[in-house]
Amino acid sequence: MKRLKHEVIYIFLILIFVITIVIKFSFSSSDSILSSSEYEIKNNTIYAVPTTYNFRVEELLSKINSSNELSVYNTNNELLVNGNKVSNGYTLKSGDSTYNIVVLGDVTDDGTINLGDVSKLYNAYIGKTNLNSNGIKSGDTTNDQKIDLGDVSKLYNYFKGNSPFSYFDDNMIDVDNLVDKANSYYESNTNSNLLGTNLINELQIDNNFNDQVVITRNGEVELAIKKQDKCYRKSALNDYIYVVDEEYCNVDVTKFASNNGRLHVEGSKLMNSKGEEFRLMGTSNAISPNSSYSSCLRQADKMYSKKSMSVLNSWGANGFRMFVGKSFWDTEAEEYSLRLVDLYNAIDNIIANDLYVILNWNSASDDPDISRTAAAKKTFSDIVNHYGNDYHIIYEIWNEPYATTWEPIKNHADELIPMIRAKAPDSLILVGTPSLDSRPDLVIGNELSYKNIMYTHHTYSGSVNSERLGYLQKAIDAGLPMFESECSGAPAEMIREDYYNPAQSRALITMLNKYNISYMYFCWETGYWAYNFISIYKYKTWDENVPDSQLNQVAFQFKRWLKGDYSTESYLMTENTQEDGVYYKDDKYREKIVSVTFNNKLDVPENTVAKWDLSFNQDNSVIGYLVNSSEEGMYDLVIAADGYINLSKYPRKMFKGLSKVKSYDLRYVKTEMADNFSSMFEGNSSLESIDLSTFDASRVRFMTGMFYRCTSLKTVNFTNWSAPKLLNIGNMFGSCTSLTSLDLSMFDVSKVYDFRNIFNGDKNLTNLNISTWKPNNVKYIDTMFSEVENLSTIDLSGFTTFEEGYTYENVFKNVPSTTTIKTGNSSFKTTMQTTYPSLN
């Protein structure tokens, strides 16, 4: 019996031992079920190291080895598929084992690594916020079991693509001991926006990876810097670190996506995740990534690159609008899937630079027929399945509908919106309006019933008028949430890179600012059109640095707006309402004005004889007024504004017919946008001299009759002029009978085709300097020197082409045969030498 008891006990002990071994083996081997050469796997936790900003299922599974089938689940225990994002707290199942997933760097638990993660990690470091257990594991990027500034630095540099991001990386930057010095530097340099060698030397950084260090101020990560660079923008949220212009050192980083989160609509206002009114200000492109539209040698891959987007960020833009129509609507094409890949890369580059992205569907037809609506649904379905409810993405479901009524647009929206909202229930959606996004007023009373909807409006220079803006005003007054998703200071159909209208731009931005309306300025690309930021005529390819030296006027205007610079410039009305001008009020004053003065102080005296609004916007920013002159019964005309006064694009006939004016004071006039000076001072028969040295004629093409019949004119100061775009100067000094000397050597006439009558009737002209003139396209020279009787020499040595069929009689009518004429055209010389022996 005892022996039996001993055997039972012995068997029981063996059984216990076996069970223990089994249990121990099962626990100890659970980690060995999975293996990875790149991830650390311990305690049933996978420490995943993402190689892209958006960490997805396929990347996770590609780095894990297992003999079992692997599946990934979100926090709601829903099975995920390739393309779905993976975040902290998700699980991986292998056979009967379950593993918790920690995504290194994803401290915000959204499956995306961006500046929001950097900010949250830093706030956790300084004690402003707390991280959950997964957040702590995710934020410990240096694997030292604590959250410190080294973790912040490493995450920030990974985000910017400047350093490896792995537990096995030994090149981390430990900057814990630098934060006090950095803040001390800021406290002693509060008026400086430049971080230069003084700070670098003070911090004594040596041989760190990529020479970078994170600088902080007031509990915020501000920027990473390189020792060799000179100037940095504060809070530089770029993908690349480089020297930027001082003017961008003060870009407001609070307006970027990571600081505002998901956008939504309350009433007619766009709001951020904090319940604050918010404004999107960015730019748009006219082509899709990987577009087959190769006109102008456009390079979409560079325009959408991380570096290009980082430049846009440095300007202060917080959004980018990209086309997903045209090249994307043919969803049956073989290359469709490849285009989607390029599209996703572009979207990721935009998001990586802390920008919101508007995906704009261009139907490429007058109406969204069934096939195109179906294609739009297919493309947007693919996008929304890929990105889910990502707060960065805004959907614009139809660009510039040709439909003149609201019904087909509304029907299109009813097809698209429910499909998008199935996967992105909180998404912001922009809906087009009739007649190419010009008639939002037609939506009033029949609005869509969905939440978070805004309606679009487009305005270009040339359509900034009371009617166009009136439709927008009606929609605003009716409480519609409006979004100016396309606008420009250049005409929509003008093939001229310099055809820019700042006055109309100012009228538009004045209205948008008044109602805090978001806008996307057109257009982020290089091409022939006036609205292109970079001219294809000068620069054949897209420079990812987007340097100021290559930008057109539309881009400069956009950058000014982003800086909040809407003031300092006033514009005269675009064109005159009378044949001979509007600037002297009306005919009863015409013959009584003896002087014209531009004043940079808008201080209208009480004793004015008359005053009127001369501003383009009709907002009284420019006032013309008359005061009594020292001459009995005569008046002085003053045109006043606060600061410089910009002439319109077409100041032709501006002062035509002011026959009693003896002087002009033009010191506070800007003419850099002027295109046409024709007849500007025509008929100013009392004017003896005028100083135009402050005028910028770099864009002027026409000066026809500019001083025609200025019979008392003796001197004109053209110092500093070049006028490289001149085309027509016919009759410019015709009948200026008092002119004796004229130096026009600074004029560039290489493109001028019309010289007719330019000096016709200038009987007293004895000295004329045009020796530098070298025209290449002469078409008309009739009576060019007719009645010029006192010139001893006419130097045409730079003229090698002449109008066919010319005769010396109509070119040099009544010019004495003793006049020496120099010419560079042998045919002309042969024809003229019998009449002019001094011809050489």
Side-chain angles (χ1 to χ4, degrees), residues 178-411:
L178 303 177
V179 64
D180 291 336
K181 291 183 179 180
N183 284 329
S184 174
Y185 175 85
Y186 275 118
E187 290 171 3
S188 61
N189 294 273
T190 55
N191 295 323
S192 174
N193 291 322
L194 305 183
L195 298 178
T197 55
N198 290 338
L199 176 58
I200 300 299
N201 293 335
E202 180 180 342
L203 296 179
Q204 297 179 347
I205 308 299
D206 293 316
N207 301 318
N208 282 311
F209 185 82
N210 234 7
D211 286 335
Q212 294 186 359
V213 58
V214 168
I215 303 299
T216 65
R217 184 184 187 186
N218 297 328
E220 297 292 337
V221 174
E222 294 229 339
L223 73 160
I225 57 178
K226 286 184 179 179
K227 289 196 297 184
Q228 67 267 31
D229 289 345
K230 300 176 183 177
C231 172
Y232 310 83
R233 178 173 68 81
K234 291 194 300 182
S235 304
L237 308 179
N238 310 351
D239 186 57
Y240 293 84
I241 301 173
Y242 54 90
V243 178
V244 295
D245 294 337
E246 184 175 355
E247 62 180 313
Y248 303 114
C249 287
N250 278 325
V251 169
D252 178 13
V253 298
T254 63
K255 61 185 178 182
F256 293 111
S258 61
N259 289 292
N260 293 278
R262 185 173 302 284
L263 305 180
H264 65 282
V265 178
E266 293 183 14
S268 63
K269 302 298 183 182
L270 182 62
M271 313 292 284
N272 66 12
S273 61
K274 306 169 189 175
E276 302 164 336
E277 190 171 348
F278 181 74
R279 191 180 193 188
L280 264 175
M281 295 178 291
T283 185
S284 176
N285 208 339
I287 57 176
S288 305
N290 195 21
S291 174
S292 58
Y293 183 39
S294 59
S295 173
C296 310
L297 300 178
R298 298 171 180 180
Q299 296 177 314
D301 57 333
K302 291 185 177 180
M303 294 176 191
Y304 289 112
S305 71
K306 287 182 185 177
K307 191 169 186 179
S308 290
M309 290 299 106
S310 76
V311 171
L312 183 61
N313 175 295
S314 76
W315 290 2
N318 58 5
F320 190 90
R321 176 177 179 259
M322 59 192 303
F323 278 28
V324 296
K326 292 184 177 179
S327 295
F328 283 87
W329 81 266
D330 187 3
T331 56
E332 302 301 320
E334 291 183 7
E335 64 270 23
Y336 172 72
S337 59
L338 296 176
R339 287 174 175 165
L340 276 182
V341 171
D342 288 324
L343 174 66
Y344 296 155
N345 286 337
I347 293 173
D348 290 346
N349 289 342
I350 297 169
I351 292 174
N353 279 283
D354 215 14
L355 307 174
Y356 292 96
V357 55
I358 298 173
L359 302 179
N360 164 45
W361 177 262
N362 191 313
S363 68
S365 69
D366 291 357
D367 290 296
D369 58 36
I370 295 174
S371 65
R372 285 174 172 80
T373 298
K377 291 176 70 175
K378 167 62 175 169
T379 299
F380 279 131
S381 176
D382 288 335
I383 294 170
V384 77
N385 282 331
H386 190 78
Y387 287 97
N389 206 27
D390 193 313
Y391 71 86
H392 294 90
I393 298 177
I394 299 166
Y395 298 91
E396 185 175 357
I397 58 176
W398 188 0
N399 175 71
E400 295 190 349
Y402 276 79
T404 58
T405 62
W406 170 235
E407 184 178 5
I409 306 171
K410 189 172 188 289
N411 292 338

Side-chain angles (χ1 to χ4, degrees), residues 717-757:
N717 184 359
F718 288 114
T719 304
N720 301 320
W721 278 45
S722 63
K725 298 190 176 183
L726 268 182
L727 298 177
N728 191 333
I729 54 176
N731 215 19
M732 184 175 179
F733 297 98
S735 299
C736 290
T737 54
S738 296
L739 272 176
T740 58
S741 180
L742 197 57
D743 183 2
L744 302 177
S745 61
M746 69 291 296
F747 278 36
D748 181 349
V749 299
S750 58
K751 298 181 179 67
V752 174
Y753 63 86
D754 194 340
F755 293 87
R756 284 177 292 188
N757 300 307

Side-chain angles (χ1 to χ4, degrees), residues 146-182:
K146 63 179 180 179
I147 301 297
D148 55 27
L149 200 57
D151 298 305
V152 180
S153 171
K154 193 168 182 182
L155 179 58
Y156 187 73
N157 283 319
Y158 165 71
F159 167 74
K160 295 172 71 60
N162 290 321
S163 65
F165 194 40
S166 166
Y167 281 126
F168 311 115
D169 170 27
D170 295 326
N171 292 316
M172 70 178 185
I173 306 168
D174 184 5
V175 293
D176 271 337
N177 63 326
L178 303 177
V179 64
D180 291 336
K181 291 183 179 180

Side-chain angles (χ1 to χ4, degrees), residues 45-77:
T45 300
I46 300 170
Y47 294 88
V49 182
T51 59
T52 60
Y53 298 121
N54 294 311
F55 189 53
R56 305 189 188 281
V57 169
E58 57 268 32
E59 180 180 347
L60 172 69
L61 298 182
S62 69
K63 305 295 176 60
I64 297 176
N65 302 315
S66 175
S67 59
N68 295 321
E69 182 178 349
L70 303 178
S71 53
V72 182
Y73 296 84
N74 63 19
T75 53
N76 295 323
N77 204 32

Side-chain angles (χ1 to χ4, degrees), residues 490-549:
E493 302 295 337
M494 182 62 66
I495 309 179
R496 279 269 309 283
E497 81 279 2
D498 62 345
Y499 209 91
Y500 170 67
N501 192 321
Q504 292 206 359
S505 293
R506 188 166 182 262
L508 173 64
I509 198 63
T510 297
M511 185 171 187
L512 298 181
N513 286 346
K514 180 179 180 181
Y515 298 103
N516 204 35
I517 294 176
S518 298
Y519 66 86
M520 294 288 121
Y521 207 63
F522 209 74
C523 157
W524 180 260
E525 66 175 84
T526 178
Y528 298 109
W529 304 99
Y531 51 64
N532 293 128
F533 280 14
I534 294 178
S535 169
I536 191 64
Y537 295 110
K538 300 176 183 177
Y539 311 102
K540 301 299 182 182
T541 59
W542 182 266
D543 185 339
E544 291 176 292
N545 291 303
V546 200
D548 280 1
S549 60

